[in-house]
C-alpha cells in the first residue's frame, strides 16, 4: 500500500492585521518560508497584464525577494491557466513557479493533460507536494538562499 499524504483542510487564515491568506496551502507555504528565514512578502506585488478587451492585474501569492515568484495552487482552472500564459507572454522577466498540492491532477475531466504537463508545455517550473512530501524543492530553497545571501531580513 502506497503512503498517502493526508491532505490538510484549506481555509482562510488571518496571519496579522494586514495579512489574510486565502487557503491552508498558502498558510503552509507561508509558514515553511518563514521557518527557513526566506525573505518574501504575501501578495504585495501587482503585475499589470492585458487580457483581450480588458486590462487586468495579477497579484502573485509569494514574490520571493531577489528571486522568483511562488504561486500556490490546489486547483488550477482554465481562467488561471489563461491568465498565467498572458502574464508570461507580457512579462517574461518574471520567473513564476507553481507549487501544486498534486501536479498529477488532470486539467479537466476529459483531458489527459495534468497540471505538471501543462507547466512543462508552457515553460513554467513547478513542484508537487503530494509526490515529494515537501512544500518547496531543496534546489529552489538553495537558489533562494544563494540569491538572498548577505541580504537583511525585513
Amino acid at each position: 500500500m502506497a503512503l498517502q499524504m493526508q491532505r490538510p483542510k484549506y481555509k482562510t487564515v488571518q496571519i496579522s492585521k494586514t495579512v489574510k491568506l486565502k487557503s491552508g496551502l498558502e498558510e503552509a507555504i507561508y509558514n515553511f518560508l518563514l521557518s527557513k528565514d526566506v525573505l518574501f512578502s504575501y501578495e504585495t506585488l501587482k503585475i499589470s497584464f492585458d487580457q483581450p478587451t480588458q486590462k487586468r492585474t495579477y497579484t502573485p501569492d509569494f514574490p520571493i525577494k531577489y528571486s522568483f515568484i511562488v504561486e500556490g495552487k490546489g486547483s488550477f482552472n482554465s481562467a488561471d491557466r489563461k491568465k498565467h500564459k498572458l502574464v508570461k507572454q507580457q512579462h517574461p522577466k518574471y520567473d513564476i513557479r507553481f507549487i501544486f498540492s498534486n501536479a498529477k491532477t488532470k486539467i479537466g475531466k476529459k483531458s489527459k493533460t495534468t497540471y505538471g504537463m501543462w507547466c512543462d508545455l508552457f515553460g513554467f517550473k513547478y513542484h508537487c507536494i503530494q509526490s515529494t512530501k515537501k512544500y518547496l524543492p531543496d534546489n529552489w530553497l538553495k537558489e533562494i538562499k544563494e540569491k538572498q545571501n548577505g541580504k537583511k531580513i525585513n
Side-chain angles (χ1 to χ4, degrees):
M1 179 185 268
L3 179 65
Q4 291 284 322
M5 182 174 161
Q6 197 165 30
R7 184 175 174 185
K9 297 204 184 248
Y10 296 140
K11 60 200 177 291
T12 301
V13 180
Q14 188 83 35
I15 296 293
S16 68
K17 287 183 179 180
T18 58
V19 177
K20 186 175 185 179
L21 304 174
K22 294 186 185 97
S23 72
L25 177 60
E26 288 184 358
E27 178 187 18
I29 295 167
Y30 183 94
N31 288 330
F32 178 83
L33 292 172
L34 277 180
S35 74
K36 298 299 180 183
D37 294 324
V38 171
L39 302 173
F40 72 96
S41 55
Y42 178 74
E43 291 193 347
T44 56
L45 179 64
K46 301 285 186 194
I47 302 171
S48 295
F49 67 100
D50 292 322
Q51 192 169 15
T53 71
Q54 62 184 182
K55 186 91 164 163
R56 302 287 308 263
T57 301
Y58 160 54
T59 304
D61 289 342
F62 300 97
I64 307 293
K65 289 186 181 182
Y66 316 113
S67 201
F68 49 83
I69 293 169
V70 171
E71 187 70 28
K73 291 286 178 201
S75 174
F76 196 35
N77 63 35
S78 178
D80 271 346
R81 295 191 307 271
K82 183 177 181 178
K83 170 182 68 181
H84 283 288
K85 282 175 23 180
L86 289 168
V87 170
K88 186 175 186 75
Q89 289 169 358
Q90 295 169 30
H91 298 279
K93 69 179 182 176
Y94 289 110
D95 180 1
I96 300 170
R97 301 181 187 187
F98 294 98
I99 295 178
F100 294 112
S101 296
N102 186 355
K104 294 178 182 173
T105 302
K106 304 244 187 307
I107 63 171
K109 289 180 185 178
K110 297 180 181 179
S111 178
K112 292 181 181 178
T113 305
T114 64
Y115 294 170
M117 290 165 68
W118 183 92
C119 285
D120 288 336
L121 185 63
F122 294 102
F124 289 95
K125 291 182 181 179
Y126 70 94
H127 173 71
C128 178
I129 296 172
Q130 179 69 34
S131 62
T132 64
K133 311 296 186 251
K134 294 181 177 187
Y135 288 109
L136 212 66
D138 295 337
N139 62 328
W140 288 12
L141 191 56
K142 182 181 177 194
E143 181 181 345
I144 291 167
K145 292 298 189 175
E146 287 171 357
K147 288 179 178 179
Q148 292 183 355
N149 190 23
K151 311 286 188 204
K152 287 191 173 185
I153 296 177
N154 293 349

